[in-house]
């Protein structure tokens, strides 16, 4: 008995899932197949995608003799023939809900990630382990087409739904031809040429003709850009160093990247003097040192908001077409701390003392689609030449030195040194989040100085990462976590 082809699509807002469903229905109708579609809206804040369910009876109406098949409005676990997910964790949701079956289901999914709020809000690395979904996809699906379809869409100047549609057509599951799918896109009249480019890219990828990944090549190119002295360092450090050099150079300048390498080399030499050959401590310290050195301040905010990549992403996300005008307004709310951070330490202390106990934040709306507004951000961005003379820079450098000194002094106990290196992840963000991270790290370093074991340091680190308010860390310490003054020490040069 002929069974309906059951297709389930999971797509997030702005990805054109509804348009994809319309293309699919239109192609089926024009080809003469009975078809029915329904959709269930998702919810906001990245807690679930909108799902589109389509059933196509794979026998043309002309062959049915006036009979009409009865099609279902909802998918049944284990009975889905084609599962399409616009993002990797959405594929994981479908697998978890039983919609991907090893005997019946072809899974088509993009391997990129759109992080959930819970992942972004985590104090530590809250990202879901993508490898688990990839392994489940290979184990649970009859066959799987897995590739970064967002990258393909961006490469061809289109939206991911076009690439997904092409992959569906290229998989060979649909009962109609590539030409009939392309005609459905043309009939829609929506960004036809760009959509056809994306469709062709998806079709070729699913057909197995374009499956090359550029990730490894990019990584190797990054290692090739390492300076000569870093290339001679252990290979276990190369990938982190390449990223760290790129980040610190873009954040400040090449001299800042050299400062980063000098600091990493200090730890590396200390490990060598002790005859150690496991470079985990230096690697993790190098990872979090690069992130810490690129702390967020008003200059960094302006820098990020004026990057070409960011402007292009905004235009792409709102669907701006060539020739269209886009009005953008940036909301800035600088406070006394942000202003003081750029001043020389003596002036900053005087300002903070004079305004002690007072809170001042002024909201600014800056139209960055105008020359005047954009120049405001460019002016703020140019202040990075004064960053090394600023109060915030001196504070952060002093805190970094204390952290690095603690790592180096604990190197004879590699497990404890590694926990202290990993604790560099506590310092992040801006405002109160950043201040709380500094307090938590200072508390952990205080325990380390008192001779805490590696296991104890691990417990404290995980407690600090467990909640943003610091309640678990206070409970683990048996006392509230209080602010520790940062003593700025001027070390002699040379």
């Amino acid at each position: 008995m002929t069974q309906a082809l059951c297709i389930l699509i999971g797509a997030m807002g702005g990805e054109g899932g509804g348009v994809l469903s319309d293309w699919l229905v239109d192609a089926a109708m024009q080809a003469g197949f009975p078809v029915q579609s329904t959709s269930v809206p998702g919810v906001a804040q990245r807690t679930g995608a909108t799902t589109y369910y389509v059933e196509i009876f794979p026998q043309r109406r002309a062959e049915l003799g006036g009979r009409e098949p009865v099609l279902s409005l909802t998918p049944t676990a284990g009975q889905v023939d084609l599962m399409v997910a616009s993002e990797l964790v959405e594929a994981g949701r479908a697998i978890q809900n039983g919609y991907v079956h090893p005997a019946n289901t072809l899974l088509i999914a993009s391997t990129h990630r759109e992080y959930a709020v819970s992942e972004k809000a985590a104090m530590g690395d809250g990202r879901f382990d993508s490898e688990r979904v990839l392994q489940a996809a290979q184990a649970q699906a009859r066959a799987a087409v897995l590739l970064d379809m967002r990258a393909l869409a961006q490469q061809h100047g289109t939206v991911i739904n076009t690439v997904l549609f092409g992959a569906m057509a290229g998989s060979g599951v649909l009962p109609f031809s590539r030409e009939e799918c392309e005609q459905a896109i043309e009939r829609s009249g929506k960004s036809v040429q760009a959509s056809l480019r994306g469709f062709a890219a998806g079709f070729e990828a699913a057909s197995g003709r374009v499956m090359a990944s550029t990730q490894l090549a990019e990584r190797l190119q990054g290692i090739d850009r390492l300076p000569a002295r870093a290339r001679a360092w252990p290979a276990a450090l190369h990938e982190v160093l390449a990223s760290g050099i790129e980040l610190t150079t873009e954040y400040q300048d090449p001299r800042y990247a050299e400062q980063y390498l000098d600091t990493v080399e200090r730890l590396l030499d200390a490990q060598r003097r002790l005859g150690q050959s496991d470079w985990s401590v230096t690697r993790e310290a190098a990872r979090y040192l690069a992130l810490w050195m690129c702390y967020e301040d008003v200059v960094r905010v302006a820098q990020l908001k004026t990057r070409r990549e960011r402007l292009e992403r905004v235009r792409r996300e709102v669907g701006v077409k060539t020739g269209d005008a886009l009005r953008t307004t940036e909301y800035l709310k600088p406070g006394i701390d942000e202003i003081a951070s750029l001043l020389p330490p003596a002036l900053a202390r005087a300002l903070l003392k004079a305004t002690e106990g007072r809170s001042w934040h002024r909201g600014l709306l800056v139209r960055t689609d105008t020359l005047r507004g954009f120049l405001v951000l460019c002016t703020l961005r140019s202040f990075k030449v004064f960053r090394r003379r600023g109060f915030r820079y001196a504070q952060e450098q002093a805190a970094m030195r204390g952290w690095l000194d603690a790592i180096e002094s604990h190197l004879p106990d590699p497990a404890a040194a590694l926990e202290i290196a990993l604790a560099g992840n506590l310092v992040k963000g801006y405002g109160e989040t950043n201040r709380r991270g500094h307090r938590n790290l200072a508390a952990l370093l205080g325990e380390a100085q008192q001779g805490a074991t590696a296991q104890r340091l691990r417990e404290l680190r995980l407690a600090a990462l467990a909640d943003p308010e610091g309640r678990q860390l206070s409970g683990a310490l048996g006392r509230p976590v209080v602010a520790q003054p940062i003593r700025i020490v001027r070390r002699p040069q040379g």
Side-chain angles (χ1 to χ4, degrees):
M1 183 175 66
T2 304
Q3 299 288 328
L5 176 67
C6 303
I7 303 171
L8 184 61
I9 302 167
M12 291 177 289
E15 294 180 333
V19 175
L20 170 56
S21 176
D22 291 343
W23 285 335
L24 192 59
V25 170
D26 182 60
M29 291 179 63
Q30 293 297 320
F33 295 105
V35 59
Q36 179 174 277
S37 70
T38 55
S39 65
V40 179
V43 290
Q45 297 300 319
R46 183 58 184 82
T47 54
T50 294
T51 55
Y52 304 86
Y53 182 59
V54 180
E55 284 199 2
I56 303 172
F57 195 73
Q59 192 171 353
R60 300 179 193 272
R61 276 199 166 86
E63 303 168 359
L64 294 176
R67 294 173 298 163
E68 281 291 326
V70 177
L71 302 176
S72 175
L73 293 170
T74 57
T76 301
Q79 299 299 315
V80 174
D81 299 292
L82 178 59
M83 176 66 220
V84 181
S86 67
E87 189 266 357
L88 188 60
V89 164
E90 290 306 325
R93 291 180 194 272
I95 295 170
Q96 186 178 40
N97 291 330
Y99 293 123
V100 178
H101 192 279
N104 302 324
T105 311
L106 169 66
L107 173 64
I108 296 176
S110 180
T111 56
H112 79 276
R113 287 299 326 280
E114 295 286 353
Y115 296 115
V117 171
S118 59
E119 292 177 285
K120 295 177 181 178
M123 293 292 290
D125 186 351
R127 293 174 299 173
F128 184 81
D129 184 4
S130 298
E131 189 61 33
R132 292 175 58 190
V133 180
L134 295 173
Q135 291 174 357
Q138 298 293 346
Q140 296 298 320
R142 171 175 63 83
V145 176
L146 305 170
L147 64 148
D148 189 341
M149 299 189 198
R150 181 178 65 177
L152 275 180
Q154 293 173 351
Q155 180 183 338
H156 292 87
T158 185
V159 184
I160 194 172
N161 65 339
T162 64
V163 180
L164 290 169
F165 192 32
M168 294 166 70
S171 70
V173 171
L174 301 182
F176 33 84
S177 67
R178 172 176 180 168
E179 291 72 22
E180 288 169 316
C181 293
E182 291 174 330
Q183 288 165 12
I185 293 175
E186 292 169 351
R187 282 191 293 270
S188 72
K190 299 176 181 178
S191 304
V192 172
Q193 293 306 313
S195 297
L196 289 175
R197 290 196 303 271
F199 176 90
F203 188 95
E204 297 298 324
S207 300
R209 288 191 284 269
V210 182
M211 292 292 287
S213 170
T214 60
Q215 240 181 15
L216 180 59
E218 290 174 354
R219 184 181 301 171
L220 291 175
Q221 289 173 5
I223 292 172
D224 287 343
R225 290 196 298 270
L226 285 174
R229 65 165 172 162
R231 291 184 195 178
W233 295 353
L237 305 178
H238 286 175
E239 186 178 348
V240 170
L241 291 176
S243 298
I245 291 170
E246 182 181 1
L247 181 61
T248 50
T249 301
E250 187 266 340
Y251 178 83
Q252 187 67 27
D253 51 37
R255 187 160 64 93
Y256 203 48
E258 285 295 320
Q259 181 179 330
Y260 166 70
L261 286 177
D262 290 342
T263 308
V264 175
E265 189 173 30
R266 166 188 155 187
L267 279 180
L268 180 61
D269 288 345
Q271 281 204 270
R272 283 171 168 164
R273 286 194 299 270
L274 292 170
Q276 297 176 352
S277 58
D278 181 348
W279 310 111
S280 300
V281 174
T282 298
R283 185 184 65 243
E284 297 309 313
R287 184 192 313 279
Y288 294 117
L289 175 65
L291 294 171
W292 192 344
M293 288 180 69
C294 299
Y295 56 86
E296 295 185 22
D297 57 7
V298 290
V299 177
R300 183 60 169 169
V301 170
Q303 191 179 30
L304 294 173
K305 287 182 178 294
T306 53
R307 291 174 66 177
R308 178 184 294 274
E309 297 87 346
R310 191 251 183 179
L311 300 175
E312 291 175 349
R313 177 174 56 81
V314 170
R315 294 181 67 86
R316 185 170 60 247
E317 288 179 353
V318 299
V320 176
K321 299 175 183 176
T322 303
D324 287 351
L326 175 65
R327 175 172 174 168
T328 56
T329 303
E330 304 289 355
Y331 180 65
L332 306 175
K333 196 176 181 181
I336 294 174
D337 288 347
E338 284 79 9
I339 296 171
S341 70
L342 295 176
L343 298 175
L347 288 178
R349 290 194 193 93
L351 174 63
L352 293 173
K353 184 175 181 180
T355 57
E356 188 174 1
R358 283 188 281 169
S359 177
W360 178 85
H361 286 87
R362 182 180 177 185
L364 302 175
L365 298 177
V366 182
R367 284 273 309 277
T368 51
D369 57 306
T370 66
L371 179 61
R372 179 180 178 182
F374 195 76
L375 286 176
V376 168
L377 290 186
C378 289
T379 301
L380 283 174
R381 184 181 66 183
S382 70
F383 285 0
K384 79 174 187 177
V385 298
F386 305 113
R387 186 183 265 141
R388 287 189 179 90
R389 305 172 191 171
F391 180 58
R392 174 78 183 277
Y393 177 84
Q395 281 191 310
E396 297 293 349
Q397 288 295 313
M400 282 182 228
R401 284 196 297 270
W403 170 61
L404 292 165
D405 287 345
I407 296 173
E408 189 172 352
S409 67
H410 282 78
L411 279 178
D413 181 358
L418 179 59
E419 286 302 322
I420 297 171
L422 291 170
N425 190 30
L426 298 178
V427 180
K428 63 185 70 178
Y430 55 91
E432 181 55 33
T433 298
N434 183 266
R435 288 189 287 271
R436 186 166 47 242
H438 276 286
R439 290 197 298 268
N440 292 345
L441 178 60
L444 186 143
L445 295 184
E447 292 292 307
Q449 190 175 14
Q450 296 298 319
T453 64
Q455 179 60 33
R456 173 63 173 165
L457 294 174
R458 174 178 170 79
E459 291 172 359
L460 294 175
R461 178 174 62 84
L462 295 179
L465 292 171
D467 69 287
E469 291 79 17
R471 289 189 294 267
Q472 290 201 33
L473 179 59
S474 295
L477 289 169
R479 55 179 168 79
V481 179
V482 296
Q484 299 288 333
I486 297 175
R487 188 160 160 252
I488 300 176
V489 180
R490 297 294 183 188
R491 290 190 174 181
Q493 301 296 315

